[in-house]
Amino acid sequence: MTPRRFALTPGEPAGIGPDLCLLLAGQPHPHPLIAVASLDLLVQRAAQLNLSVRLLPVTPDSWPDEPAPAGSLYVWDTPLRTPATPGRLDRANAAYVLETLTRAGQGCLDGHFAGMITAPVHKGVINEAGIAFSGHTEFLAELTGTEQVVMMLATRGLRVALVTTHLPLKDVASAITAERLSRVARILHADLRDKFGIARPRILVCGLNPHAGESGHLGREEIEVIEPALETLRQEGLDLIGPLPADTLFTPKYLEHCDAVLAMYHDQGLPVLKYKGFGAAVNVTLGLPIVRTSVDHGTALDLAATGKVDTGSLAVALETAYEMTGRHP
């Protein structure tokens, strides 16, 4: 297997992201993993955690071709704007967080990294710094010049993609247009095929309304928007089942015969997935020209530097990135 480099961003410096990066360094990895992070931050956090981790500085002029030995971590030093205190947000470091993402994302575009894995950021403190930021997904879409991306979370036995993401519930129905639904379904189908190696993906599609509209008695979005869009997509060769009532779709009868579920909105699909696999799930951004995976949890400020964190989700994010890029030598 040819080693492929991967970028790892630790996210919010006051949160558990730096802890996760250091804890992962204790394990052997099949590919070079490069933390795009402040070297001083990692030195400080390792001391606070009483971890013995050998930090190995690298630069674009000295990219490694071999994985770091267990107990070591490659670091592309990206300086903090101000020292970070575990558990205490500081808007001065918002620019640092975005610089790590920019370096990792641009490195993927330039071919230095096969993919990027992200630890959690804190959206609120970035916005408080006067920087408009709605999340990793939107930031990387802009960085890569991608018009449409799709959020998908996955755990063992279940993948859930979303037609709409971070919208107030009152705005969801009007946002579900035939055009948007079609774009999302095509991206999901293409990436399941090309990045996950599923030759003919079968996708279950949730209805928007209770009972998928109950033949129009509980809403007409299924009749007027969703069903016609799905029929057009089926004529293009996509294998789409639905729209189905979301309250019965997430049962073994349906899930054992599908490769992914397409939910209409955030809290329709993700509570089920997180109940099934919280701590062992991964967030994947589909539709990008690069591979990006992430954890399924937040910054956990109260756990930073305590040693009471679980690396499970970040480990799954790494494994998923390896799987996705392994299909393209």
Side-chain angles (χ1 to χ4, degrees):
M1 179 184 296
T2 302
R4 306 181 302 276
R5 294 184 214 98
F6 290 83
L8 172 63
T9 60
E12 168 54 48
I16 63 170
D19 309 46
L20 294 172
C21 295
L22 291 164
L23 289 167
L24 278 179
Q27 308 164 16
H29 295 279
H31 306 288
L33 183 63
I34 299 170
V36 186
S38 162
L39 187 61
D40 288 342
L41 169 66
L42 294 178
V43 168
Q44 178 190 47
R45 192 63 58 88
Q48 291 165 333
L49 291 167
N50 197 28
L51 287 176
S52 178
V53 178
R54 186 182 176 205
L55 300 174
L56 307 172
V58 297
T59 69
D61 296 325
S62 62
W63 292 133
D65 292 322
E66 298 295 331
S72 304
L73 180 65
Y74 293 125
V75 182
W76 184 7
D77 186 27
T78 307
L80 288 167
R81 300 303 193 266
T82 190
T85 300
R88 187 180 303 168
L89 295 170
D90 192 326
R91 67 186 67 178
N93 278 324
Y96 155 80
V97 172
L98 298 187
E99 185 178 0
T100 66
L101 296 179
T102 300
R103 281 186 165 191
Q106 190 62 49
C108 291
L109 289 172
D110 293 342
H112 300 308
F113 306 125
M116 61 185 290
I117 300 94
T118 61
V121 298
H122 194 286
K123 300 173 190 175
V125 75
I126 296 174
N127 282 281
E128 288 172 9
I131 304 170
F133 181 83
S134 55
H136 278 108
T137 302
E138 296 82 0
F139 180 85
L140 292 173
E142 183 176 353
L143 178 68
T144 60
T146 306
E147 182 177 347
Q148 178 74 51
V149 293
V150 174
M151 179 188 292
M152 183 179 80
L153 267 71
T155 190
R156 185 177 298 276
L158 181 62
R159 301 183 184 96
V160 177
L162 303 176
V163 177
T164 63
T165 53
H166 301 123
L167 286 180
L169 191 58
K170 66 182 178 61
D171 297 333
V172 168
S174 61
I176 298 173
T177 62
E179 180 184 10
R180 183 174 194 155
L181 174 56
S182 299
R183 286 202 310 263
V184 169
R186 290 187 185 109
I187 291 170
L188 175 59
H189 171 87
D191 275 10
L192 287 173
R193 181 191 61 207
D194 298 339
K195 293 179 179 176
F196 288 88
I198 302 169
R200 181 169 169 74
R202 169 165 283 198
I203 301 167
L204 301 182
V205 182
C206 295
L208 171 65
N209 297 296
H211 300 182
E214 193 79 60
S215 300
H217 296 289
L218 296 177
R220 296 192 57 82
E221 285 83 2
E222 286 78 10
I223 294 172
E224 296 175 359
V225 178
I226 299 173
E227 289 178 0
L230 297 185
E231 185 53 38
T232 298
L233 291 166
R234 290 186 191 106
Q235 293 174 11
E236 297 177 9
L238 277 67
D239 188 357
L240 304 171
I241 312 300
L244 297 170
D247 64 339
T248 54
L249 180 154
F250 290 99
T251 57
K253 170 185 174 182
Y254 290 106
L255 294 180
E256 65 186 12
H257 300 297
C258 84
D259 298 298
V261 173
L262 182 57
M264 292 295 128
Y265 57 96
H266 187 282
D267 281 14
Q268 182 183 57
L270 297 194
V272 180
L273 184 134
K274 292 193 175 186
Y275 176 77
K276 178 178 174 61
F278 192 75
V282 58
N283 186 338
V284 183
T285 305
L286 305 179
L288 293 172
I290 65 175
V291 166
R292 178 259 171 169
T293 65
S294 185
V295 295
D296 70 342
H297 56 73
T299 54
L301 296 169
D302 58 321
L303 297 179
T306 67
K308 300 176 181 178
V309 300
D310 187 341
T311 60
S313 183
L314 187 56
V316 175
L318 276 168
E319 292 166 7
T320 303
Y322 297 159
E323 176 191 0
M324 293 171 69
T325 59
R327 304 187 185 283
H328 303 280

